[in-house]
């Protein structure tokens, strides 16, 4: 087989492998690096691939080892609410933590392959949600791999055992422990973005109107009473619509007059948030991921490192007035 044919055969699995590595690592950039490492290793050793398993299984074995090596270095990505208690708005201070601390957003197109089965699509979207990926980060690396392979990708226990070089009993035990850990802090069931129903679309339209108009009464009406706001790379997070609007009328007042451009991140609605620029037009400010539960906004995560996120999401560097 020619080098080009080998590369084409490997490349067809890139998106699903990136989704797997993203769930394992919690970082869009680390996931893409892990997949690239996987592809290079596979390409270099393809002539030794003996076909005892499928190419797909072989690639997952390589990717799993790459991810386990990365995780054994000790990094566990988190959301601000995993690290600190909520802060009353009157005491709020912005303390930054290093980039490697934070769970990262990801564009759907990088991690969700096109599949014909609607049920598979639903599971894929639900399992890249921020809340779910954050919950995965609490699992030891091998339990994390077992849970993703068994529960998300629907591999058989025997297939996972072969991939990990262990027994079916060991795989079943790891899955049981992983399920028990997730049950202790089960991630909230939030709405996914494809497709949005009419009520969700109306809610998001009202959210944009309230945010761009800086109408805090209208915004409060759209938020759950215990809604959260977080702003990585800062470890501050706020709980409750009163504290959220209090923040926006205080330190957050700089957001008045902003513009929101709809995107999709982590299977959920999101917005590119642009600030008014003193020189005219609007400049990037945050990637805002929205979580919706029962017809109201339950969480807002504003990722502020726009130099990383806006190019990843193919967003314009500025908006004209």
């Amino acid at each position: 087989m020619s080098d080009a044919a080998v590369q084409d055969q490997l490349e067809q699995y890139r998106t699903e492998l990136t989704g797997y590595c993203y769930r394992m690592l919690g970082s869009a950039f680390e996931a893409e690096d892990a997949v690239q490492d996987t592809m290079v290793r596979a390409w270099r050793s393809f002539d030794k691939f003996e076909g005892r398993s499928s190419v797909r299984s072989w690639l997952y074995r390589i990717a799993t080892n790459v991810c386990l090596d990365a995780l054994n270095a000790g990094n566990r990505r988190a959301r601000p609410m995993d690290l600190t208690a909520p802060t009353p708005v009157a005491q709020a201070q912005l303390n930054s933590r290093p980039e490697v601390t934070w769970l990262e957003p990801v564009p759907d197109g990088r991690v969700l392959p096109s599949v014909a089965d609607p049920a598979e699509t639903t599971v894929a979207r639900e399992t890249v949600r921020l809340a779910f990926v954050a919950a995965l980060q609490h699992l030891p690396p091998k339990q994390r791999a077992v849970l993703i392979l068994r529960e998300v990708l629907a591999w058989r226990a025997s297939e996972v055992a072969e991939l990990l070089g262990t027994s079916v009993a060991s795989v079943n035990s790891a899955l049981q422990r992983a399920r028990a850990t997730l049950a202790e802090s089960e991630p909230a069931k939030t709405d996914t973005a494809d497709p949005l129903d009419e009520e969700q679309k109306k809610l998001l339209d009202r959210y944009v109107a309230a945010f761009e108009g800086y109408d805090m009464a209208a915004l409060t009406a759209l938020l759950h009473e215990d809604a959260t706001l977080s702003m990585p790379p800062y470890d501050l997070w706020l709980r409750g619509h009163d504290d959220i609007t209090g923040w926006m009328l205080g330190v957050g007042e700089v957001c008045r007059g902003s513009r929101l451009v709809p995107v999709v991140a982590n299977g959920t609605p999101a917005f590119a948030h642009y600030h008014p620029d003193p020189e005219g037009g609007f400049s990037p400010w945050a990637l805002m991921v929205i979580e919706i539960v029962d017809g109201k906004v339950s969480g807002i995560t504003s990722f502020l490192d726009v130099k990383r996120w806006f190019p990843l999401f193919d967003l314009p560097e500025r908006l004209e007035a």
Side-chain angles (χ1 to χ4, degrees), residues 118-137:
E120 284 186 39
T121 301
T122 298
V123 170
R125 289 192 182 282
E126 288 179 349
T127 57
V128 294
R129 293 178 303 115
L130 288 175
F132 186 85
V133 179
L136 289 175
Q137 306 306 300

Side-chain angles (χ1 to χ4, degrees), residues 63-128:
T64 299
N65 289 331
V66 171
C67 289
L68 292 178
D69 286 345
L71 291 168
N72 286 335
N75 289 340
R76 178 174 75 83
R77 291 183 177 264
R79 305 177 80 181
M81 48 281 291
D82 298 322
L83 303 178
T84 64
T87 304
V89 68
Q91 300 168 22
Q93 293 182 327
L94 293 175
N95 301 309
S96 180
R97 296 203 188 190
E99 173 270 319
V100 293
T101 304
W102 302 115
L103 183 69
E104 296 180 348
V106 71
D108 282 18
R110 300 287 183 109
V111 294
L112 298 178
S114 299
V115 294
D117 186 343
E120 284 186 39
T121 301
T122 298
V123 170
R125 289 192 182 282
E126 288 179 349
T127 57
V128 294

Side-chain angles (χ1 to χ4, degrees), residues 51-320:
R52 287 194 296 265
S53 63
S54 67
V55 170
R56 180 172 182 258
S57 298
W58 182 56
L59 286 170
Y60 269 91
R61 182 182 297 115
I62 298 171
T64 299
N65 289 331
V66 171
C67 289
L68 292 178
D69 286 345
L71 291 168
N72 286 335
N75 289 340
R76 178 174 75 83
R77 291 183 177 264
R79 305 177 80 181
M81 48 281 291
D82 298 322
L83 303 178
T84 64
T87 304
V89 68
Q91 300 168 22
Q93 293 182 327
L94 293 175
N95 301 309
S96 180
R97 296 203 188 190
E99 173 270 319
V100 293
T101 304
W102 302 115
L103 183 69
E104 296 180 348
V106 71
D108 282 18
R110 300 287 183 109
V111 294
L112 298 178
S114 299
V115 294
D117 186 343
E120 284 186 39
T121 301
T122 298
V123 170
R125 289 192 182 282
E126 288 179 349
T127 57
V128 294
R129 293 178 303 115
L130 288 175
F132 186 85
V133 179
L136 289 175
Q137 306 306 300
H138 292 282
L139 300 175
K142 281 200 174 178
Q143 286 185 29
R144 200 180 308 178
V146 167
L147 185 123
I148 296 167
L149 290 165
R150 292 281 285 117
E151 304 268 280
V152 178
L153 301 177
W155 285 39
R156 294 191 298 271
S158 58
E159 294 173 319
V160 179
E162 183 180 352
L163 181 146
L164 293 174
T166 188
S167 66
V168 170
S170 177
V171 167
N172 288 337
S173 176
L175 179 60
Q176 191 172 11
R177 293 196 304 273
R179 285 171 172 166
T181 299
L182 287 190
E184 290 173 5
S185 54
E186 188 171 358
K189 293 285 186 184
T190 54
D191 293 355
T192 52
D194 187 28
L196 290 170
D197 63 31
E198 285 305 311
E199 289 304 311
Q200 291 167 328
K201 290 176 184 175
K202 289 177 183 176
L203 171 66
L204 292 171
D205 287 345
R206 290 164 61 203
Y207 179 85
V208 171
F211 194 94
E212 291 187 346
Y214 231 64
D215 183 339
M216 292 301 111
L219 187 63
T220 297
L222 305 178
L223 298 175
H224 277 284
E225 189 174 346
D226 62 349
T228 61
L229 169 66
S230 59
M231 296 162 282
Y234 299 112
D235 59 13
L236 169 75
W237 66 284
L238 305 167
R239 172 179 281 154
H241 51 49
D242 290 342
D243 274 358
I244 291 172
T245 55
W247 170 267
M248 292 182 68
L249 291 171
V251 176
E253 182 74 24
V254 292
C255 293
R256 187 182 290 274
S258 292
R259 293 290 178 266
L260 301 182
V261 175
V263 293
V264 177
N266 294 81
T268 55
F271 296 99
H273 175 185
Y274 290 84
H275 253 208
D277 191 318
E279 298 180 6
F282 301 86
S283 54
W285 184 257
L287 180 78
M288 180 188 289
V289 180
I290 304 296
E291 293 166 291
I292 300 171
V293 175
D294 297 333
K296 285 193 172 185
V297 173
S298 62
I300 305 166
T301 306
S302 286
F303 293 94
L304 298 176
D305 190 356
V306 292
K307 290 182 179 178
R308 287 167 65 80
W309 307 127
F310 276 48
L312 183 69
F313 282 79
D314 296 322
L315 289 163
E317 293 182 3
R318 61 179 292 104
L319 297 180
E320 298 307 320

Side-chain angles (χ1 to χ4, degrees), residues 37-51:
D37 191 359
T38 298
M39 294 296 185
V40 169
R41 293 187 192 190
W43 186 82
R44 285 176 176 167
S45 58
F46 197 83
D47 58 339
K48 300 174 186 173
F49 174 59
E50 298 174 352

